[in-house]
């Protein structure tokens, strides 16, 4: 058993007293000290997703300086998230396994005000153009983020396989989240900034494979 059930993970230690650590590994590459970028960039990552029960691969970006405050006020860009399971049961989103991916922006004035569901998209490989793979573990694909001052678009391999296509010029994220209308008094962390805030600052890149989790990535 793990030493804790917190949503952000737990720690398990083996030893001579008989404690056994299962042969699983997780890894992360982050570019916080070496590379960061903001609007007017095209990120391309060619990757083949891992296959295995309870693996949680992700390609994502986090703000360098968190100018607008603690998460999620300064934003988070999830270019790709998936599950390593070959078979995963039905559920509210079809419970994608390695045959599907998700792409999400996290943003809001506070943890309770995270409106990621308004900027969350999913795609199953069966619906893609230009591939005969049965899942994302069979071959390499190119994960794209096109980020400008006016909008943000993500797609797989080609624009025909677009997930998120967000126009910043339509409204601010404060307006998008309707924070003045939900009956809760929030402070606007992006007041005085343009419509793109919080996605108008430099972010760094993270690529990782986690194992398991109790934050809802593997719902029952």
């Amino acid at each position: 058993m793990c030493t804790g059930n917190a949503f952000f993970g737990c720690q398990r230690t083996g030893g001579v007293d008989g404690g056994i650590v299962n042969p699983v590994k997780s890894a992360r590459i982050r570019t916080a000290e070496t590379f960061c970028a903001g609007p007017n960039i095209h990120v391309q990552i060619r990757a083949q997703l891992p296959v295995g029960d309870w693996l949680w691969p992700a390609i994502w970006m986090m703000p360098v300086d968190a100018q607008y405050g603690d998460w999620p006020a300064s934003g988070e860009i999830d270019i790709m998230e998936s599950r390593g399971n070959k078979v995963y049961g039905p559920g509210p989103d079809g419970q994608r396994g390695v045959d599907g991916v998700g792409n999400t922006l996290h943003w809001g004035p506070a943890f309770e005000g995270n409106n990621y569901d308004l900027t969350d998209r999913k795609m199953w490989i069966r619906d893609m153009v230009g591939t005969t793979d049965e899942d994302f573990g069979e071959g390499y694909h190119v994960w794209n983020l096109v980020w400008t001052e006016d909008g943000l678009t993500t797609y797989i391999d080609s624009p025909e396989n677009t997930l998120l296509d967000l126009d910043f010029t339509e409204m601010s994220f404060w307006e998008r989240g309707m924070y003045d209308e939900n009956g809760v008094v929030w402070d606007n962390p992006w007041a005085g900034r343009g419509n793109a805030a919080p996605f108008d600052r430099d972010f760094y890149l993270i690529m990782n494979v986690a194992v398991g989790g109790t934050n809802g990535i593997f719902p029952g």
Side-chain angles (χ1 to χ4, degrees), residues 110-148:
F111 181 87
E112 299 82 1
N114 182 8
N115 265 319
Y116 72 92
D117 55 316
L118 300 179
T119 49
D120 177 73
R121 300 293 183 271
K122 299 174 178 64
M123 181 171 288
W124 278 259
I125 199 165
R126 65 175 180 263
D127 299 325
M128 281 183 53
V129 174
T131 182
T132 58
D133 292 346
E134 293 187 0
D135 61 52
F136 290 103
E138 287 194 356
Y140 283 85
H141 293 273
V142 180
W143 312 91
N144 291 264
L145 166 69
V146 180
W147 180 10
T148 73

Side-chain angles (χ1 to χ4, degrees), residues 171-182:
M171 65 184 75
S172 68
F173 279 88
W174 184 260
E175 295 168 318
R176 197 179 301 273
M178 296 188 294
Y179 293 111
D180 286 330
E181 304 173 26
N182 60 14

Side-chain angles (χ1 to χ4, degrees), residues 6-209:
F7 74 90
F8 50 78
C10 60
Q11 178 178 335
R12 185 171 178 178
T13 304
V16 295
D17 59 353
I20 298 174
V21 177
N22 293 334
V24 295
K25 292 183 178 180
S26 62
R28 180 179 69 171
I29 299 173
R30 63 197 295 267
T31 68
E33 289 79 30
T34 58
F35 168 82
C36 61
N40 300 317
I41 188 173
H42 185 169
V43 177
Q44 291 183 303
I45 298 170
R46 184 173 181 267
Q48 180 177 4
L49 301 193
V51 177
D53 288 349
W54 320 121
L55 296 181
W56 175 11
I59 302 170
W60 50 306
M61 300 182 76
M62 289 292 287
V64 172
D65 57 14
Q67 175 180 335
Y68 299 116
D70 293 338
W71 189 92
S74 294
E76 175 183 326
I77 303 171
D78 296 338
I79 300 173
M80 182 284 301
E81 284 188 292
S82 187
R83 303 181 180 99
N85 302 61
K86 276 281 192 177
V87 178
Y88 204 80
D93 66 351
Q95 299 307 325
R96 67 186 184 277
V98 72
D99 61 331
V101 295
N103 164 224
T104 310
L105 301 185
H106 290 272
W107 48 278
F111 181 87
E112 299 82 1
N114 182 8
N115 265 319
Y116 72 92
D117 55 316
L118 300 179
T119 49
D120 177 73
R121 300 293 183 271
K122 299 174 178 64
M123 181 171 288
W124 278 259
I125 199 165
R126 65 175 180 263
D127 299 325
M128 281 183 53
V129 174
T131 182
T132 58
D133 292 346
E134 293 187 0
D135 61 52
F136 290 103
E138 287 194 356
Y140 283 85
H141 293 273
V142 180
W143 312 91
N144 291 264
L145 166 69
V146 180
W147 180 10
T148 73
E149 295 177 355
D150 294 330
L152 188 151
T153 302
T154 59
Y155 61 88
I156 308 169
D157 294 335
S158 75
E160 294 174 292
N161 302 312
T162 292
L163 289 94
L164 186 65
D165 189 15
L166 194 64
D167 186 350
F168 293 161
T169 66
E170 293 179 344
M171 65 184 75
S172 68
F173 279 88
W174 184 260
E175 295 168 318
R176 197 179 301 273
M178 296 188 294
Y179 293 111
D180 286 330
E181 304 173 26
N182 60 14
V184 179
V185 178
W186 304 99
D187 289 327
N188 183 354
W190 316 305
R193 304 292 298 187
N195 284 357
F199 301 103
D200 60 345
R201 307 290 298 175
D202 284 350
F203 281 56
Y204 62 90
L205 184 67
I206 306 169
M207 295 176 284
N208 70 269
V209 176

